[in-house]
Amino acid sequence: MDHSAWFESWDSLFKITVSTVFGYFMLILFVRTAGKRSTSKMNNFDWIVTVAVGSVLASMAVLKDVTVADGLLAMALLLGLQYVLTISTSRWEWARRLFLAAPSVLFSDGEFDHVAMRKERVSRDEILQTIRDKGIASLDDVRMVTLEANAELSVVSRESGPADSEPWPQPKD
């Protein structure tokens, strides 16, 4: 029976320990430097970076051909690219349109938008659950339900203001 699947060497365990501990603390430093967006409620690009950075940390910890320097460079580049992307999308409309998903109105003034719901793969039950989670007992009390760019459902109640007021710009298709 081959025991190498269970134990290879003390050197291998030492490399994994050092790489993981050092990489973990460097990742914390990188994320703190990159800012809150790196760990916030995620849009598509935040999620991609989170998964990629986790994969790099895991590779750095257990793969022999990935050095600590390789892993740290990859993590720094991923977080740096995310930083540049978030700066760009906060400053320029063309970058927002290119990189970010627009919010989708799924329910408005008593009507479910079934086309938008199918496109976004959101069920009526999910919308109703979100409305109940907000403590709203009746659809008549809901002005709008929107699927936001971070995949969270937002509920705007009728109490939020008159129906003809528009507190934010509507998404452009």
Side-chain angles (χ1 to χ4, degrees), residues 40-44 46 101-103 146-154:
S40 67
K41 292 181 181 178
M42 295 181 235
N43 62 39
N44 292 341
D46 295 335
T146 305
L147 181 66
E148 302 295 347
N150 65 0
E152 191 168 299
L153 289 170
S154 295

Side-chain angles (χ1 to χ4, degrees), residues 19 23 27 49-63 66-76 78:
S19 297
L27 178 57
V49 168
T50 300
V51 170
V53 167
S55 178
V56 169
L57 180 61
S59 296
M60 189 175 80
V62 298
L63 297 179
V66 178
T67 66
V68 172
D70 294 341
L72 294 178
L73 176 61
M75 283 191 285
L78 287 166

Side-chain angles (χ1 to χ4, degrees), residues 2-170:
D2 182 19
H3 295 289
S4 65
W6 294 101
F7 179 81
E8 185 174 326
S9 71
W10 290 107
D11 288 342
S12 173
L13 294 180
F14 180 74
K15 188 243 183 219
I16 289 170
T17 302
V18 170
S19 297
T20 302
V21 170
F22 186 70
Y24 176 75
F25 286 108
M26 289 304 296
L27 178 57
I28 289 171
L29 176 68
F30 289 163
V31 168
R32 293 281 295 148
T33 302
K36 293 175 186 164
R37 284 289 302 259
S38 300
T39 57
S40 67
K41 292 181 181 178
M42 295 181 235
N43 62 39
N44 292 341
F45 289 96
D46 295 335
W47 181 82
I48 288 167
V49 168
T50 300
V51 170
V53 167
S55 178
V56 169
L57 180 61
S59 296
M60 189 175 80
V62 298
L63 297 179
K64 288 184 170 82
D65 58 342
V66 178
T67 66
V68 172
D70 294 341
L72 294 178
L73 176 61
M75 283 191 285
L77 286 171
L78 287 166
L79 290 167
L81 288 169
Q82 182 197 35
Y83 181 80
V84 168
L85 183 76
T86 57
I87 290 289
S88 299
T89 57
S90 70
R91 292 187 181 170
W92 299 301
E93 178 63 30
W94 66 265
R96 279 189 292 282
R97 281 194 314 271
L98 182 62
F99 293 114
L100 300 179
S104 300
V105 176
L106 305 176
F107 177 87
S108 180
D109 296 320
E111 298 289 325
F112 288 91
D113 185 336
H114 296 286
V115 172
M117 290 167 60
R118 270 191 302 279
K119 178 183 175 211
E120 299 294 352
R121 300 179 316 274
V122 176
S123 72
R124 178 184 172 103
D125 289 340
E126 290 172 295
I127 293 170
L128 294 173
Q129 177 185 347
T130 300
I131 292 168
R132 288 190 305 271
D133 286 347
K134 301 294 181 189
I136 300 172
S138 170
L139 289 177
D140 293 334
D141 297 331
V142 176
R143 189 161 108 205
M144 178 175 23
V145 177
T146 305
L147 181 66
E148 302 295 347
N150 65 0
E152 191 168 299
L153 289 170
S154 295
V155 178
V156 178
S157 68
R158 294 209 180 273
E159 296 174 0
S160 299
D164 59 351
S165 68
E166 195 171 314
W168 58 83
Q170 291 299 308

